[in-house]
Amino acid sequence: MTQLYKESKEISYYMCDRHQRVTLSMLVNLLLDVSEKHSEGLGRGETYVKEKGLSWIILRYDFDIQRLPKVNETVEIETVATEYNKLFTYRDFFVKDLEGNELIKVTATFALLNHSNRKMARITEELVEPYKAVFSKRIRRLAKPQEIDNSVYNEKQYEVRYFDIDSNHHVNNSHYITWLLDSLGSSYLSKFEITGGTITFDKEVNEHQIITSVSSGRKADELWTDHVITSDTVRHCQASFKWKTVEKEG
Amino acid sequence: MTQLYKESKEISYYMCDRHQRVTLSMLVNLLLDVSEKHSEGLGRGETYVKEKGLSWIILRYDFDIQRLPKVNETVEIETVATEYNKLFTYRDFFVKDLEGNELIKVTATFALLNHSNRKMARITEELVEPYKAVFSKRIRRLAKPQEIDNSVYNEKQYEVRYFDIDSNHHVNNSHYITWLLDSLGSSYLSKFEITGGTITFDKEVNEHQIITSVSSGRKADELWTDHVITSDTVRHCQASFKWKTVEKEG
């Protein structure tokens, strides 16, 4: 039996956008908060991992969104580490309303970083045993975000801000999402709301860097957008998102 | 007897900076969340005020900080509307640790905005009665933030981002604070932590605007900084902050 952990979260006004829905950035903050609590409860929290000279890094998110929670709504966030192999662990998150309806499913792919050589470390049984995740040799082959369509795109530059670096001493994950989405511009973002997508992280963005976020609507289907974050010649992050026309709040 | 309202809040990793302390921006988000709950409980929430064609705007914060809460700490936030006159209401916030020690006191000055003419509205008994705040004719005369010292300063520009606009359809208060502080630069911010200060809001920043945040250390005392946010010839916000050398986490 895998270990399931859940926690209620209330969606506050400051977590929401003008459509009264939680932003994707804030959603990710809430999910990671819940997964860290899960790990702490199993004696595998950040401090434990750090003492071994390691840290978990996120390589990928896959989102499937029925409905984004709205301001003042209380939701239940469930999480479970489902599977691991020697390089990756996979964790699912389910956001449910108070009637138990699934609003959002997110799968996150994690890897272990060795602090001394800055390389990926092998995942040991000892580290993941308490989660009761299933070991499977198979490394999942997941579709990459689509390359951007070079003919029609928006481009914006962002400078990493002092407070973008969080208590883990890294640019908080949520800021990549803000950079990815903000580059679409307000005319797109006011009209459409997100229903799913994939984000992959390649190389970390550091303090003082200026990054370029490029986004592009697909010619074949304007309800898909593709994204890339780069600096100089380095690619930091890629994403593809699916959208639908915004449903106005009643 | 004035109406006191309180709520516990846990400080999550994403609310904190590299010193493991809650950021001033996130602190303000938490305070306003608690004050909105207070108002809702008294039947004077945002919806009630909106139906009257009005909304509360914040004109000023005065901070007195003994210690900023740290990551994973649970604090109690108490709030009380202390006093009002025909133009302003004053609300105090107290952030306490679980032993009841006062960590932070914040006083916020609110005014009422009339949506139809965009002017300040007179505060009526009916609107504020449930808070049991004291009516006092006297309008508080509070010291303004100090003008910046033009000889030594940092300056940065920021573009308002799509997600800076929150569910109230305004640039969320917390972003002004990020702009004010970020302009100090990381060498200052890594060395010092905030112990108090004052922020005053003059004119709202709108979407698509580019603002300039200027900050300056006082010649006479480097533990004070003065700040102004402008766009073209308009002043949006001013602040003065007091600092002390950062206390490293043990």
Side-chain angles (χ1 to χ4, degrees), chain A residues 100-159:
Chain A
N101 301 306
E102 188 182 306
L103 307 181
I104 300 171
K105 182 187 173 186
V106 181
T107 302
T109 306
F110 291 81
L112 261 186
L113 186 77
N114 182 323
H115 290 181
S116 57
N117 62 10
R118 305 296 296 169
K119 286 192 175 150
M120 270 169 66
R122 209 187 164 101
I123 293 167
T124 61
E125 170 70 15
E126 187 261 335
L127 212 54
V128 296
E129 194 281 327
Y131 297 96
K132 307 293 178 202
V134 175
F135 177 82
S136 159
K137 265 190 187 171
R138 183 182 66 103
I139 287 176
R140 292 185 190 174
R141 294 177 65 89
L142 301 163
K144 291 204 152 216
Q146 197 164 305
E147 297 290 323
I148 64 153
D149 175 342
N150 281 297
S151 59
V152 271
Y153 66 82
N154 297 315
E155 184 178 318
K156 276 197 185 180
Q157 292 202 312
Y158 301 93
E159 194 178 342

Side-chain angles (χ1 to χ4, degrees), chain A residues 10 12-14 16-20 29 32-33 37 161-162 165-167 169 182 186 189 207-208, chain B residues 10 12-14 16-20 29 32-33 37 161-162 165 167 169 182 186 189 207-208:
Chain A
E10 199 190 340
S12 299
Y13 81 97
Y14 67 84
C16 293
D17 65 16
R18 64 193 73 181
H19 302 304
Q20 322 291 316
N29 281 335
L32 293 185
D33 187 43
K37 296 278 171 51
R161 298 175 179 175
Y162 180 82
I165 313 278
D166 70 14
S167 57
H169 293 269
D182 185 65
S186 70
L189 292 166
E207 205 177 351
H208 305 304
Chain B
E10 198 190 339
S12 298
Y13 80 98
Y14 68 84
C16 293
D17 65 15
R18 64 193 72 181
H19 302 303
Q20 321 291 317
N29 282 334
L32 293 184
D33 187 43
K37 296 279 172 49
R161 298 175 179 174
Y162 180 82
I165 313 279
S167 58
H169 293 268
D182 185 64
S186 70
L189 291 166
E207 205 176 352
H208 305 304

